[in-house]
Amino acid sequence: MCAIHQPNLFPRLSTLAKLYAADHWIVLDDVQFARRDHQHRARLAVLDDPDRQQWLTLPTHLPHGRSTLMRHARLADPHRSRRTTELLIRQYYDRSRHWTAIRAALEAVLRTIDTMDQVARIATASTTFLLAALGWQGQTVARSDLPARQGRSQRLADLAAATGSSHYLCGTGGMRYLDHRPFDAYAIPVVPFRMPTDAAGALCPSAQRATSLGALSMLGPQALAQHLVADLEARAGETR
């Protein structure tokens, strides 16, 4: 099963959960960069007051202006980005009893910033390190490394087929526009994905808007992974 999603910096739980459910994450690094999206920023929430939130943003240079693709976006000030990332994440989450897991992901991202300025690769790294903390054993592959034709749905179907995926995992936003016919041509079923139930509410009130670092801080990697697995198993039982 594959999921196709653009890079997000320390993504929200809905995105992390979808990728966790997949065997392949195809990273859409050829989409247009959008300053109002989550490609270069993450919303942080105070653990004991989730309504208090703040953006962590990586100042980004677009060499081709508004038409710049995600993979061409660069950090405008790597030193400032590194310093702000470390300070804000420590400020918001270092009081968590699961800080060790968060610190490991943070330090890995900081090492990535030290070695490259590509925003897409830094955002991708932030996600893969969180997935690794949950024990995910899937694979990531850049869309730019795979062949695909034009057309929104046709491209997604070609990418799913290129990874040998048996199913395509599609979020609620994608289900509104997706044309199933290109997937039918490959005999690849489209599986709708919805937000894990309790994790979006009682377990982590800020999960729908803020980074999944909040859920990780509250639950810890083992408990969060167990919750996601239980939710997936329950969902599979509903469709049988």
Side-chain angles (χ1 to χ4, degrees):
M1 183 178 295
C2 78
I4 303 174
H5 204 279
Q6 59 189 273
N8 279 186
L9 182 66
F10 294 114
R12 292 167 293 175
L13 185 58
S14 57
T15 300
L16 192 70
K18 183 176 76 168
L19 301 181
Y20 182 79
D23 302 299
H24 289 89
W25 170 25
I26 300 174
V27 183
L28 279 180
D29 59 353
D30 65 339
V31 296
Q32 184 174 331
F33 181 86
R35 291 196 181 277
R36 292 196 174 187
D37 212 326
H38 290 76
Q39 299 163 331
H40 69 313
R41 62 180 188 164
R43 191 188 293 270
L44 311 181
V46 176
L47 291 179
D48 55 2
D49 187 1
D51 290 332
R52 290 177 53 200
Q53 300 182 1
Q54 176 180 355
W55 284 108
L56 162 63
T57 302
L58 303 181
T60 301
H61 169 62
L62 305 181
H64 308 296
R66 294 180 63 182
S67 63
T68 300
L69 299 182
M70 183 66 191
R71 66 172 179 265
H72 296 147
R74 296 292 188 267
L75 293 179
D77 188 339
H79 177 74
R80 176 186 171 191
S81 293
R82 188 191 197 284
R83 183 173 180 274
T84 302
T85 299
E86 181 174 17
L87 288 176
L88 284 181
I89 290 182
R90 284 185 178 276
Q91 174 185 332
Y92 274 79
Y93 303 112
D94 69 356
R95 291 181 292 106
S96 166
R97 61 192 179 95
H98 304 292
W99 168 245
T100 300
I102 297 167
R103 182 178 61 192
L106 169 61
E107 291 177 347
V109 170
L110 295 179
R111 289 195 298 270
T112 305
I113 294 175
D114 288 338
T115 58
M116 64 185 64
D117 66 352
Q118 296 102 315
V119 175
R121 295 182 64 180
I122 293 167
T124 299
S126 75
T127 303
T128 55
F129 292 133
L130 290 178
L131 288 168
L134 300 181
W136 186 65
Q137 298 182 0
Q139 296 180 327
T140 62
V141 57
R143 178 271 172 266
S144 54
D145 292 334
L146 298 173
R149 286 169 283 181
Q150 297 297 316
R152 181 181 289 183
S153 297
Q154 183 66 62
R155 180 177 69 155
L156 297 177
D158 287 348
L159 293 174
T163 58
S165 298
S166 60
H167 296 74
Y168 169 57
L169 195 58
C170 185
T172 54
M175 289 298 295
R176 289 195 289 266
Y177 69 77
L178 195 73
D179 181 355
H180 289 236
R181 288 173 295 180
F183 292 90
D184 293 341
Y186 282 118
I188 297 177
V190 175
V191 179
F193 183 84
R194 57 175 170 76
M195 181 75 168
T197 50
D198 291 340
L203 293 181
C204 186
S206 65
Q208 292 184 341
R209 300 181 64 206
T211 170
S212 52
L213 288 173
L216 185 61
S217 296
M218 295 177 65
L219 303 175
Q222 184 176 359
L224 180 56
Q226 288 174 347
H227 176 81
L228 296 181
V229 169
D231 186 85
L232 291 170
E233 290 176 346
R235 192 177 310 161
E238 291 173 0
T239 58
R240 280 200 291 265

